[in-house]
Amino acid sequence: MVVADGMPLVWAARLRGTPLPGRVTGADLIWSLSAMAARAGWPVYLLGGPPGVAEAAAGELARRCPGLEVRGVDAPPYGFDRTAEGRERVRRKVVAARPAIVFAGFGFPRQDLLIAELRRDLPEAWFLGCGAAIGFAAGTVSRAPAWMRRRGLEWLHRLMTEPRRLARRYLVDDLPFAARLLITSALRRCLPRGRRA
């Protein structure tokens, strides 16, 4: 399942004339899926974040979602995924826990590559690449105020709170892609069908 996590995707869909209902973030899904998992009796697993953050998030999720079973948490050291041994250690722990839902918070593309590996051993589990959602749930990372989220400015809040970590990603890597996506989307809607590239 693919959801529109970034506002440029929502804006591009609007420009193309096929609007989406809205943005769906990992920071929101971690709460709604945990509440659903608590009701259904599905165990969850939290994977990612600095040391102690996944444990804090597990405690907060269990407090706010009565009956939630957190089968395990793991905060592997930065760079663990660069070696087969590091990935294997993580794989063994997740597979042994047999969760129904795995929240993987390492950012794109690291979490997506790890999920692709883990799915082979847990094909029945749901995996959510949730970025900073584990930190948000733990309360160690601040989420943008609601008015900024509604206006598509959550990225600006994140950039202001973590400039050293996010400046290159947002301004160098993401901005050209977002600009191209928005321009292409606007042109596709404006140009006659036969003239589209």
Side-chain angles (χ1 to χ4, degrees), residues 42-116:
W42 296 346
V44 303
Y45 194 96
L46 302 177
L47 181 58
V53 172
E55 288 88 350
E60 190 60 24
L61 288 167
R63 186 184 71 75
R64 290 188 35 192
C65 304
L68 180 67
E69 179 189 356
V70 179
R71 277 267 172 94
V73 298
D74 190 11
Y78 186 79
F80 78 95
D81 51 336
R82 292 185 191 137
T83 67
E85 296 80 20
R87 292 190 309 276
E88 177 59 20
R89 186 193 68 76
V90 167
R91 187 197 68 76
R92 278 196 310 269
K93 289 177 79 173
V94 176
V95 169
R98 306 305 284 173
I101 301 175
V102 177
F103 296 105
F106 298 106
F108 176 82
R110 294 174 61 223
Q111 64 197 16
D112 305 86
L113 296 171
L114 182 61
I115 286 169

